[in-house]
Amino acid sequence: MTGASMIADGQAYRGAERMVPKFIGNAMKGGRYATDGVTTYYGDDLLESVNPWQVLTTTVGFTPAEVAERYAVNNRLKLKEKRITDRRKDIMREVGDAMRAGKPISPASVDKIRAFNREWPEYPITTASIRQSVQSRNRASQRNEFGVALNPKLNDRLRAERAPMVYN
């Protein structure tokens, strides 16, 4: 994110940290750590407490080891979550495509579902989740006009306010 977008998002202090010269931004960040602790963009704590050494290292431009470790752990967790959810979406898309085309679900797809469910029983692909996915995709397709599906509450106004097309 840029400093300007942070300011526009209501994060004026963090935005200013990004916009000033680096050495000033580091001092500002150190001060923020001292007063607010180490928090996410939305104010959730990343560390339970901050010690003076962490504030000092931040002020002179270094990332404290505990902060770097927390960021690394959080990034690995989110990456793993994304891999799992992407795999689930791919399997459900494959099954949904077959169902929407009026074809039976292939044995290979069934095997993928079973393998996924064995590995991730806490987030299984079920008949209900497949049905819900297909219904959701059907609704999106019905809302789709010329390649874009908009929020139904905004659709009419956005389309009415769009600039006229040159070639159509």
Side-chain angles (χ1 to χ4, degrees):
M1 297 186 91
T2 65
S5 66
M6 291 174 138
I7 290 170
D9 198 26
Q11 296 284 344
Y13 195 85
R14 282 182 188 243
E17 285 175 11
R18 293 267 178 111
M19 296 175 83
V20 298
K22 187 84 170 138
F23 74 96
I24 296 172
N26 289 338
M28 291 172 71
K29 185 189 284 189
R32 182 169 48 83
Y33 281 11
T35 57
D36 302 340
V38 182
T39 61
T40 65
Y41 185 73
Y42 298 104
D44 299 317
D45 289 337
L46 283 173
L47 297 179
E48 290 182 14
S49 63
V50 179
N51 63 47
W53 178 251
Q54 292 166 324
V55 171
L56 179 63
T57 58
T58 300
T59 300
V60 296
F62 296 100
T63 301
E66 295 88 349
V67 175
E69 179 182 48
R70 174 53 47 205
Y71 283 135
V73 167
N74 289 354
N75 285 335
R76 283 192 301 271
L77 286 169
K78 289 303 286 182
L79 181 61
K80 188 164 188 169
E81 176 191 54
K82 183 170 178 9
R83 285 184 185 141
I84 294 163
T85 58
D86 284 352
R87 184 171 155 218
R88 186 176 191 269
K89 280 184 213 169
D90 290 345
I91 295 168
M92 289 182 60
R93 184 175 297 116
E94 182 179 315
V95 170
D97 287 347
M99 292 176 66
R100 292 178 75 200
K103 298 178 182 173
I105 300 171
S106 72
S109 294
V110 172
D111 290 343
K112 289 178 186 178
I113 292 170
R114 287 183 179 140
F116 182 88
N117 289 349
R118 267 193 308 279
E119 189 173 357
W120 300 106
E122 53 278 276
Y123 193 39
I125 298 172
T126 63
T127 304
S129 63
I130 292 168
R131 186 179 311 114
Q132 181 181 7
S133 174
V134 169
Q135 289 171 347
S136 178
R137 289 176 65 194
N138 285 339
R139 280 192 305 273
S141 288
Q142 289 169 355
R143 288 194 332 257
N144 190 325
E145 289 183 44
F146 302 107
V148 66
L150 300 173
N151 179 319
K153 293 180 180 179
L154 301 173
N155 182 60
D156 292 342
R157 181 173 175 184
L158 291 175
R159 290 187 191 280
E161 292 176 352
R162 74 169 170 78
M165 295 190 53
V166 175
Y167 298 104
N168 199 356

Short mmCIF file of all heavy atoms in Angstrom, two decimals, residues 84-108:
data_model
loop_
_atom_site.label_atom_id
_atom_site.label_comp_id
_atom_site.label_asym_id
_atom_site.label_seq_id
_atom_site.Cartn_x
_atom_site.Cartn_y
_atom_site.Cartn_z
N ILE A 84 -4.65 -24.71 0.20
CA ILE A 84 -5.74 -25.64 0.50
C ILE A 84 -7.04 -25.15 -0.13
O ILE A 84 -7.75 -25.90 -0.80
CB ILE A 84 -5.91 -25.80 2.03
CG1 ILE A 84 -4.68 -26.49 2.62
CG2 ILE A 84 -7.19 -26.57 2.38
CD1 ILE A 84 -4.55 -26.33 4.13
N THR A 85 -7.36 -23.86 0.07
CA THR A 85 -8.62 -23.35 -0.46
C THR A 85 -8.61 -23.32 -1.99
O THR A 85 -9.64 -23.57 -2.61
CB THR A 85 -8.97 -21.96 0.11
OG1 THR A 85 -7.90 -21.04 -0.19
CG2 THR A 85 -9.19 -22.01 1.61
N ASP A 86 -7.45 -23.03 -2.58
CA ASP A 86 -7.37 -23.06 -4.04
C ASP A 86 -7.57 -24.47 -4.58
O ASP A 86 -8.26 -24.67 -5.59
CB ASP A 86 -6.02 -22.52 -4.53
CG ASP A 86 -5.92 -21.00 -4.44
OD1 ASP A 86 -6.94 -20.34 -4.15
OD2 ASP A 86 -4.80 -20.48 -4.67
N ARG A 87 -6.97 -25.45 -3.91
CA ARG A 87 -7.14 -26.84 -4.33
C ARG A 87 -8.61 -27.24 -4.23
O ARG A 87 -9.17 -27.87 -5.14
CB ARG A 87 -6.27 -27.76 -3.48
CG ARG A 87 -6.32 -29.20 -3.92
CD ARG A 87 -5.26 -30.01 -3.19
NE ARG A 87 -5.65 -31.39 -3.14
CZ ARG A 87 -5.44 -32.19 -2.12
NH1 ARG A 87 -4.80 -31.76 -1.05
NH2 ARG A 87 -5.86 -33.43 -2.14
N ARG A 88 -9.25 -26.86 -3.14
CA ARG A 88 -10.67 -27.17 -2.94
C ARG A 88 -11.52 -26.52 -4.03
O ARG A 88 -12.41 -27.14 -4.61
CB ARG A 88 -11.10 -26.70 -1.55
CG ARG A 88 -12.52 -27.11 -1.16
CD ARG A 88 -12.77 -26.66 0.29
NE ARG A 88 -13.99 -27.22 0.82
CZ ARG A 88 -15.19 -26.65 0.76
NH1 ARG A 88 -15.33 -25.48 0.17
NH2 ARG A 88 -16.24 -27.23 1.30
N LYS A 89 -11.24 -25.24 -4.32
CA LYS A 89 -11.98 -24.53 -5.37
C LYS A 89 -11.80 -25.21 -6.72
O LYS A 89 -12.75 -25.32 -7.50
CB LYS A 89 -11.50 -23.08 -5.48
CG LYS A 89 -12.06 -22.16 -4.45
CD LYS A 89 -11.57 -20.75 -4.73
CE LYS A 89 -11.40 -20.00 -3.44
NZ LYS A 89 -10.70 -18.74 -3.59
N ASP A 90 -10.56 -25.61 -7.02
CA ASP A 90 -10.30 -26.27 -8.31
C ASP A 90 -11.10 -27.56 -8.45
O ASP A 90 -11.68 -27.82 -9.51
CB ASP A 90 -8.80 -26.56 -8.48
CG ASP A 90 -7.97 -25.31 -8.69
OD1 ASP A 90 -8.55 -24.24 -8.98
OD2 ASP A 90 -6.73 -25.39 -8.53
N ILE A 91 -11.13 -28.35 -7.39
CA ILE A 91 -11.88 -29.61 -7.43
C ILE A 91 -13.37 -29.32 -7.58
O ILE A 91 -14.05 -29.92 -8.41
CB ILE A 91 -11.61 -30.46 -6.17
CG1 ILE A 91 -10.15 -30.91 -6.12
CG2 ILE A 91 -12.55 -31.67 -6.11
CD1 ILE A 91 -9.71 -31.50 -4.77
N MET A 92 -13.86 -28.37 -6.80
CA MET A 92 -15.28 -28.04 -6.87
C MET A 92 -15.64 -27.43 -8.22
O MET A 92 -16.73 -27.69 -8.76
CB MET A 92 -15.67 -27.12 -5.71
CG MET A 92 -15.66 -27.88 -4.39
SD MET A 92 -16.14 -26.94 -2.95
CE MET A 92 -17.79 -26.46 -3.35
N ARG A 93 -14.74 -26.65 -8.81
CA ARG A 93 -14.99 -26.08 -10.14
C ARG A 93 -15.07 -27.20 -11.18
O ARG A 93 -15.95 -27.21 -12.05
CB ARG A 93 -13.89 -25.09 -10.52
CG ARG A 93 -14.15 -24.39 -11.84
CD ARG A 93 -13.13 -23.32 -12.18
NE ARG A 93 -13.17 -22.25 -11.20
CZ ARG A 93 -12.16 -21.94 -10.38
NH1 ARG A 93 -11.03 -22.62 -10.43
NH2 ARG A 93 -12.27 -20.96 -9.52
N GLU A 94 -14.16 -28.16 -11.08
CA GLU A 94 -14.16 -29.29 -12.01
C GLU A 94 -15.47 -30.08 -11.93
O GLU A 94 -16.09 -30.39 -12.95
CB GLU A 94 -12.97 -30.20 -11.68
CG GLU A 94 -12.78 -31.39 -12.57
CD GLU A 94 -11.55 -32.20 -12.15
OE1 GLU A 94 -10.50 -31.61 -11.87
OE2 GLU A 94 -11.68 -33.44 -12.08
N VAL A 95 -15.90 -30.36 -10.73
CA VAL A 95 -17.16 -31.10 -10.53
C VAL A 95 -18.34 -30.24 -10.98
O VAL A 95 -19.25 -30.73 -11.67
CB VAL A 95 -17.30 -31.51 -9.04
CG1 VAL A 95 -18.69 -32.06 -8.76
CG2 VAL A 95 -16.23 -32.53 -8.68
N GLY A 96 -18.32 -28.96 -10.62
CA GLY A 96 -19.40 -28.06 -11.01
C GLY A 96 -19.52 -27.90 -12.51
O GLY A 96 -20.63 -27.84 -13.04
N ASP A 97 -18.37 -27.83 -13.20
CA ASP A 97 -18.41 -27.72 -14.66
C ASP A 97 -19.09 -28.93 -15.28
O ASP A 97 -19.90 -28.79 -16.20
CB ASP A 97 -16.99 -27.57 -15.23
CG ASP A 97 -16.39 -26.20 -14.97
OD1 ASP A 97 -17.12 -25.28 -14.57
OD2 ASP A 97 -15.15 -26.07 -15.15
N ALA A 98 -18.77 -30.10 -14.76
CA ALA A 98 -19.40 -31.32 -15.27
C ALA A 98 -20.91 -31.28 -15.02
O ALA A 98 -21.71 -31.56 -15.93
CB ALA A 98 -18.78 -32.56 -14.63
N MET A 99 -21.30 -30.92 -13.81
CA MET A 99 -22.73 -30.88 -13.47
C MET A 99 -23.47 -29.86 -14.32
O MET A 99 -24.57 -30.13 -14.82
CB MET A 99 -22.91 -30.59 -11.99
CG MET A 99 -22.44 -31.71 -11.09
SD MET A 99 -22.54 -31.30 -9.34
CE MET A 99 -24.31 -31.17 -9.12
N ARG A 100 -22.89 -28.69 -14.51
CA ARG A 100 -23.55 -27.64 -15.29
C ARG A 100 -23.67 -28.03 -16.76
O ARG A 100 -24.57 -27.56 -17.46
CB ARG A 100 -22.78 -26.32 -15.15
CG ARG A 100 -22.89 -25.75 -13.73
CD ARG A 100 -22.11 -24.49 -13.57
NE ARG A 100 -22.83 -23.40 -14.22
CZ ARG A 100 -22.27 -22.26 -14.58
NH1 ARG A 100 -20.99 -22.06 -14.39
NH2 ARG A 100 -22.98 -21.33 -15.16
N ALA A 101 -22.76 -28.89 -17.22
CA ALA A 101 -22.82 -29.37 -18.60
C ALA A 101 -23.72 -30.59 -18.74
O ALA A 101 -23.86 -31.14 -19.84
CB ALA A 101 -21.41 -29.70 -19.09
N GLY A 102 -24.29 -31.05 -17.62
CA GLY A 102 -25.18 -32.20 -17.65
C GLY A 102 -24.44 -33.52 -17.75
O GLY A 102 -25.03 -34.54 -18.11
N LYS A 103 -23.17 -33.50 -17.41
CA LYS A 103 -22.37 -34.72 -17.47
C LYS A 103 -22.23 -35.32 -16.08
O LYS A 103 -22.34 -34.61 -15.08
CB LYS A 103 -20.98 -34.41 -18.03
CG LYS A 103 -20.99 -33.88 -19.44
CD LYS A 103 -19.59 -33.55 -19.90
CE LYS A 103 -19.60 -32.96 -21.30
NZ LYS A 103 -18.26 -32.49 -21.69
N PRO A 104 -21.95 -36.62 -16.00
CA PRO A 104 -21.72 -37.22 -14.68
C PRO A 104 -20.35 -36.78 -14.13
O PRO A 104 -19.46 -36.38 -14.90
CB PRO A 104 -21.73 -38.72 -14.97
CG PRO A 104 -21.36 -38.84 -16.41
CD PRO A 104 -21.89 -37.60 -17.08
N ILE A 105 -20.23 -36.85 -12.82
CA ILE A 105 -18.95 -36.54 -12.19
C ILE A 105 -18.00 -37.68 -12.50
O ILE A 105 -18.33 -38.85 -12.29
CB ILE A 105 -19.12 -36.35 -10.67
CG1 ILE A 105 -20.08 -35.20 -10.40
CG2 ILE A 105 -17.78 -36.10 -10.00
CD1 ILE A 105 -20.50 -35.06 -8.96
N SER A 106 -16.83 -37.34 -13.00
CA SER A 106 -15.88 -38.38 -13.42
C SER A 106 -15.30 -39.11 -12.22
O SER A 106 -15.20 -38.55 -11.12
CB SER A 106 -14.73 -37.76 -14.23
OG SER A 106 -13.88 -37.02 -13.37
N PRO A 107 -14.91 -40.38 -12.42
CA PRO A 107 -14.25 -41.13 -11.33
C PRO A 107 -12.99 -40.43 -10.83
O PRO A 107 -12.70 -40.46 -9.64
CB PRO A 107 -13.92 -42.48 -11.98
CG PRO A 107 -14.91 -42.62 -13.09
CD PRO A 107 -15.15 -41.24 -13.59
N ALA A 108 -12.27 -39.76 -11.73
CA ALA A 108 -11.07 -39.03 -11.31
C ALA A 108 -11.43 -37.89 -10.36
O ALA A 108 -10.73 -37.66 -9.36
CB ALA A 108 -10.33 -38.48 -12.54
#
